[in-house]
Amino acid sequence: MSGYLRRIRGFRRDIRLFLLMNLVAYVGFGVFALIYNLYLYELGLREDYIGALNAVQTLATAAAALSFGPVLRRIGAWRCLVAGIGVFLVAASALALVTAPAVLLVFAAALGVGLAFLSTVTMPFIIEWGRMDQRADIAALTFSLISLALTAGSLVGGLAPPLLRNVVPALAANDEGTYRFTLLAGIAVAAIGLWPVLRMSEACRTSLGGAGMTTRLAESGTERRQARRDVAVFVAAGGLMAIGVGMVVPFYNVYLTTLGASSSEIGYIFAAGGLCAAVIGLMAPALANRVGSLPAVLMVRLSIVPWYVLLIVNPSLGAAIIAHVVRSTSISMAWPLDSTFIAEVLPARYRASVFGLRSAAWNLTFSGASLVAGWVIVRQGYGWPFFSLALCSTLSVALFVGYFGRHPAVRAGTITSALSSRARASQAVGTGQDGEGRAGEDQAGVGDRSAGPMPGDVDSPPLSPAEPDIASPEPMEPDPAPEHGRRLDPIRAGVAPGTPIVAAPTTPDPPGNSRTP
């Protein structure tokens, strides 16, 4: 534990503030997400309107996610983060205060836009400001904190209304007022999340938009086609997963009631899922480090399949609880793994849009699958939705692991996160032997050193610090922020793996909620 805390203290200051923002803001969002449908019900609005409002929010989230890449390149991750929180706070406040149904739909769309930017910016921000060797830990910790914050928000949201009725006499017989007060309290907590964002230094001063994000390396047609195929497979794998999740997750609390669970028990079940996801999710980097990111994704994503198959064959409350906990934990572990992997695979200029495209595909397919599942459940029960989740999860991971397992960069060994610890050690031994051979040649007099140190010599000045992906638009000039430089893709550069060179700059789906892949 002490070693892990030391690694956290080693994160950049802006990353630590980013983690604090997620912890605080998502507590407020957890309160809002739990209470708002109950509040609408007290306003006299029923399931048909609530379904329409959720559909409007989901479609707005998908539309905003589609535009996320160009906006990120233009204004940078920090400004996207501030805009996402700001739009969420304004829209959520209006939704808590306005009662006209038509106006609520407008603000529901605005809320979807805010949530799209708040959640989709997570991985781009980590990629931009996290050191390359720390990204896996940062991503895992971020999604674990989000799970923990949403769980805490749900618990607070569930406990607050009865407490308010007892403490504030005017609210004793006024459920509408109680829910409104709870919503505004949750929004106030979320607003505190702006404080750590505004306290950021480097991220606030530096814009990733402008020249940094638009600078491009010369690409061949083969490289461009490869990158587009990579993006398409990553997005398609997320869309497949969303079909299965959308068939099950929106109705799972209702399913638990059919097995005899009470409303309070359902609350505890969901809280247990969130806590397990928060704690076990931290183990994702260790698992990937041991077996490689692709085998880790395979293991984690497929872990849910046996439990939902069991629910088809022999439904029981115990199996349903385990299935929910395993699914929540799988999400918390898998999303950081495949997101950091795709960030390492893709060239810089594609990273700005890939997470927005995946978020859009996720929300659209999730929404459509939910509509179909509601019709199927009424007529056929839950068997077909559970089968869909098991099938789509298997197809999604087969596509992702099958395609990227044969990726040229993975097969060449340049994507180090895809290698197991044993494979990396073997690669390091081979690199060390090559280095000794070169040293022997130099001692034998091979090469003229009279002109000064040669590239790769021990005495040579470093070409670039071993830090992550943000670059100077003109790589030949000294980087004004040396700790914040980018690397060239070793395959494109034609150099040996591990050779640091400065290059052009670089830049995941809403985390922590039911729509998260």
Side-chain angles (χ1 to χ4, degrees):
M1 177 60 73
S2 60
Y4 187 76
L5 293 177
R6 280 197 300 272
R7 290 205 302 274
I8 294 175
R9 286 196 293 269
F11 296 165
R12 286 179 173 146
R13 178 175 179 273
D14 286 357
I15 288 291
R16 297 197 301 271
L17 290 171
F18 178 72
L19 294 171
L20 179 61
M21 180 279 298
N22 280 286
L23 180 62
V24 175
Y26 277 96
V27 170
F29 177 64
V31 173
F32 188 91
L34 181 76
I35 296 297
Y36 191 66
N37 283 355
L38 302 175
Y39 170 70
L40 292 176
Y41 208 80
E42 287 300 321
L43 293 180
L45 302 171
R46 293 299 177 254
E47 287 83 354
D48 55 348
Y49 178 84
I50 294 173
L53 185 139
N54 286 330
V56 167
Q57 178 186 321
T58 301
L59 291 174
T61 300
L66 283 174
S67 67
F68 179 76
V71 174
L72 176 64
R73 283 191 291 266
R74 184 174 182 83
I75 68 174
W78 183 83
R79 290 175 178 82
C80 285
L81 185 60
V82 173
I85 298 175
V87 172
F88 167 76
L89 293 175
V90 172
S93 300
L95 288 169
L97 297 172
V98 175
T99 58
V103 180
L104 287 176
L105 292 175
V106 175
F107 285 110
L111 185 74
V113 173
L115 288 175
F117 276 77
L118 176 60
S119 57
T120 310
V121 77
T122 300
M123 282 307 302
F125 190 94
I126 292 171
I127 292 168
E128 181 182 350
W129 296 106
R131 278 174 35 193
M132 187 176 294
D133 60 326
Q134 295 175 339
R135 284 180 191 164
D137 283 324
I138 296 170
L141 182 57
T142 299
F143 285 100
S144 291
L145 288 177
I146 288 172
S147 296
L148 184 64
L150 288 170
T151 301
S154 297
L155 291 174
V156 170
L159 296 173
L163 180 64
L164 287 172
R165 293 188 192 102
N166 292 330
V167 174
V168 183
L171 299 176
N174 184 1
D175 284 344
E176 177 186 328
T178 301
Y179 289 143
R180 180 180 289 118
F181 194 92
T182 304
L183 288 171
L184 292 174
I187 295 166
V189 172
I192 299 174
L194 264 178
W195 178 81
V197 177
L198 297 177
R199 293 280 297 171
M200 293 179 183
S201 53
E202 280 186 287
C204 178
R205 292 194 302 266
T206 306
S207 174
L208 189 57
M213 280 302 299
T214 57
T215 301
R216 299 183 181 180
L217 293 174
E219 286 183 317
S220 68
T222 302
E223 291 169 334
R224 191 159 44 249
R225 286 190 296 271
Q226 179 68 61
R228 289 174 178 172
R229 283 196 299 269
D230 296 346
V231 170
V233 169
F234 184 70
V235 172
L240 272 174
M241 182 69 69
I243 293 173
V245 174
M247 294 284 284
V248 172
V249 170
F251 312 98
Y252 205 70
N253 53 353
V254 179
Y255 174 71
L256 292 173
T257 64
T258 67
L259 298 176
S262 66
S263 58
S264 60
E265 289 172 336
I266 292 172
Y268 290 129
I269 291 168
F270 278 72
L275 288 174
C276 288
V279 175
I280 301 176
L282 295 174
M283 302 178 185
L287 177 63
N289 183 64
R290 183 174 182 82
V291 303
S293 54
L294 291 178
V297 168
L298 180 69
M299 296 164 58
V300 170
R301 290 287 191 194
L302 291 184
S303 63
I304 69 172
V305 171
W307 297 104
Y308 284 95
V309 172
L310 178 61
L311 289 178
I312 298 173
V313 178
N314 185 26
S316 66
L317 182 59
I321 293 172
I322 296 174
H324 173 73
V325 171
V326 172
R327 191 194 64 80
S328 299
T329 304
S330 171
I331 287 173
S332 184
M333 294 183 73
W335 178 237
L337 291 176
D338 54 27
S339 297
T340 51
F341 173 81
I342 198 66
E344 193 173 354
V345 169
L346 285 177
R349 70 187 187 93
Y350 291 92
R351 299 177 198 168
S353 57
V354 66
F355 296 108
L357 291 172
R358 170 127 165 179
S359 179
W362 181 274
N363 281 280
L364 288 173
T365 51
F366 183 99
S367 179
S370 300
L371 292 175
V372 173
W375 184 88
V376 171
I377 289 170
V378 170
R379 290 161 177 79
Q380 302 290 334
Y382 286 88
W384 282 110
F386 291 157
F387 175 77
S388 299
L389 177 56
L391 177 63
C392 290
S393 297
T394 303
L395 293 176
S396 173
V397 76
L399 174 63
F400 184 85
V401 176
Y403 172 83
F404 286 109
R406 299 191 303 270
H407 194 281
V410 172
R411 297 177 69 178
T414 57
I415 306 300
T416 56
S417 67
L419 302 176
S420 66
S421 56
R422 180 176 297 179
R424 285 195 301 273
S426 299
Q427 188 183 71
V429 170
T431 303
Q433 291 173 346
D434 290 344
E436 291 175 5
R438 286 195 300 270
E441 289 178 355
D442 285 343
Q443 291 172 1
V446 177
D448 182 7
R449 303 177 62 94
S450 60
M454 300 176 65
D457 286 352
V458 176
D459 297 330
S460 303
L463 295 170
S464 169
E467 289 271 355
D469 303 292
I470 302 275
S472 161
E474 300 180 22
M476 298 303 294
E477 296 181 3
D479 189 7
E483 76 282 2
H484 194 47
R486 287 205 186 274
R487 293 171 179 256
L488 277 174
D489 186 333
I491 292 180
R492 292 181 181 81
V495 297
T499 304
I501 48 180
V502 174
T506 307
T507 98
D509 164 306
N513 58 34
S514 63
R515 300 185 179 92
T516 305

